[in-house]
Amino acid sequence: MGPARGPWLVFAVCIAPLTAGVARSAPGDPLPSWNDGPAKAAILDFVAKVTNDGGKDFVPATERVAVFDNDGTLWSEQPIYFQFAFALDRVKALAPKHPEWKEKQPFKAVLEGDLKAALAGGEKAVAEIVLATHAGMTTDEFDRLVREWIKTARHPRFDRPYTDLVYQPMLEVLAHLRANGFKTFIVSGGGVEFMRVFAEQVYGVPPEQVVGSRGKLKYEVRDGQPVLVKLPEIAFIDDGPGKPAGILENIGRRPVMAFGNSDGDLQMLQWTTAGQGARFGLIVHHTDARREWAYDRTSHIGKLDKALDAAPKAGWTVVDMKTDWKVIYPFQK
Amino acid sequence: MGPARGPWLVFAVCIAPLTAGVARSAPGDPLPSWNDGPAKAAILDFVAKVTNDGGKDFVPATERVAVFDNDGTLWSEQPIYFQFAFALDRVKALAPKHPEWKEKQPFKAVLEGDLKAALAGGEKAVAEIVLATHAGMTTDEFDRLVREWIKTARHPRFDRPYTDLVYQPMLEVLAHLRANGFKTFIVSGGGVEFMRVFAEQVYGVPPEQVVGSRGKLKYEVRDGQPVLVKLPEIAFIDDGPGKPAGILENIGRRPVMAFGNSDGDLQMLQWTTAGQGARFGLIVHHTDARREWAYDRTSHIGKLDKALDAAPKAGWTVVDMKTDWKVIYPFQK
């Protein structure tokens, strides 16, 4: 507070009227990328009341658990789940070793770039592609492949690394919760080993706080070194009614807050907010076709129908991406 | 360092010869229940070197993961695993609802107090008893039953609550590691929901840092309330080669330190210490029949044979309970 402050103060007072019409954040606003409105207020009010020691809604720090779906809640999921984009790239990379794929669906269609034909086989085709590209290697080898892909692959619409397509407003929610003593977990239908490669760097969520779908693992000693081999067999699908089970198995407590965006998050939201005491549920509604995508009740990916109907009665906050979020991605800041 | 220090210094010098023959800890010793010796030194030296920023063995705080077996490593496991004692008590409590058990093994033998006959059916009999007493209820109901049992049941030899039979020296290791930035995890063949009831209070290990065996869970809505029902079906056995898989699925990183006591911990020790950089493995060898129990190569429970043979070559520390531990249980302090 030396003499240098004077001119800056004058300058600030002079420019204030010029910028009054522009969206700005209050200094120290923990959610600067959120427009003022009911969604932002609901988050801030809830965090304030559960951390207010002595208040009727106080939650001890050890019980402050918040769970976040990943695809469509923390990062985009269009035009296909990003993990599936990784699998398709792996089919192309592995094709020279699998000459039979030239004649075998769904691989033939993938190699010909015809995604629609590749997906004509439905969930079975997806499972075939995922298992063929995710299994048979050690977990260390898989980790390296994902790490390399994350560095080099680019999203077709934005021509940027997939990890650029995380939601800036949700990064701010994660940080605000952690600053208030919450442990933040990802609880996603995506593969747990895939997400862990980038979750710590991108979201600040360490591997042990990532819950996801899993294949079976086999312990082996190869060349004198113990390794874990990924088997082509599903152990657990962390989606829909699987999410509360995944939470209980991995976290062992009912969360206080749950964030999702689709019917795959319905049971997680129900189970979280059915707990005693203060609870919070939030749905990200994709309403912004210009800056991101707009989809809900009839979408193949991230279908939001039952959960959207359940929200008002359950008291869940529904984020209208178009009006609630000032920016979508960090690179738009 | 004011004038008040003088008299204290004189007093300390005067009493020193009087107490020299009594086992004492250096002030600030983080492991006061350990006798000086190679095991205690190995633990302290390892923690010092991996936390020495700038040293060649430094491990960043985010990677400081330590895993502990539970039965026989953090608390006693004789004459039967404590979770099995819970199951036997449940058989007795449930008997009025199951008149058919009076004629049906292994339940008949349990009700007649003939444990040897009950266990004549081997692993199949154990599984039958555990499933019959652990499944069919909600996870909340199971939690309440275990909580009640922990409060009321008493160990037959010591006539104390089972949770009194935790190892004081290991509590000190857990605390010392956490004080040095480690995350401490339990990785046990025991049921994850059983251990979580007391792990936080007894060991300071929160539910999300407990990895164990699991049954399948089913999400249901009962009387309008979402619940998770425990199914009579095993989902995962966290023992032997299952431990590295359980660690990778739940923690997602290779630990830096692993603590076990039996061949069920062999693969966890191998996989942990095969990692690059500084690693630490430790085996608790039960050698004290007077204060606890003495058993190893031929024991039914906690058999320690292959892992004991592997220890010298692998460089694992072997704790001789009789000589390394000043006290076994906190109530003996």
Side-chain angles (χ1 to χ4, degrees), chain A residues 178-201:
Chain A
R178 289 194 289 257
N180 282 278
F182 275 84
K183 268 195 178 179
T184 53
F185 289 81
I186 292 172
V187 178
S188 166
V192 67
E193 288 150 1
F194 180 82
M195 294 183 287
R196 280 175 173 156
V197 171
F198 56 87
E200 187 151 34
Q201 199 190 331

Side-chain angles (χ1 to χ4, degrees), chain A residues 47 72 81 88 223 227 324:
Chain A
V47 173
Y81 292 127
L88 295 180
D223 304 327
V227 294
D324 283 323

Side-chain angles (χ1 to χ4, degrees), chain A residues 69-78 81-82 157 165 167 170 260-262 265 282-297 299 301-304 308 318-323 325 328-329:
Chain A
D69 169 60
N70 184 39
D71 299 306
T73 299
L74 292 179
W75 73 356
S76 292
E77 59 185 349
Q78 300 286 358
Y81 292 127
F82 297 176
R157 172 171 165 189
L165 303 196
Y167 302 136
M170 296 304 284
N261 78 298
S262 79
D265 304 312
L282 181 146
I283 292 173
V284 174
H285 190 186
H286 293 262
T287 52
D288 195 331
R290 188 179 63 77
R291 294 187 300 171
E292 206 243 6
W293 282 268
Y295 57 97
D296 47 32
R297 295 185 189 275
S299 178
I301 289 171
K303 179 178 175 175
L304 174 64
L308 195 57
V318 178
V319 170
D320 180 337
M321 197 179 251
K322 194 170 176 176
T323 61
W325 287 2
I328 308 288
Y329 303 123

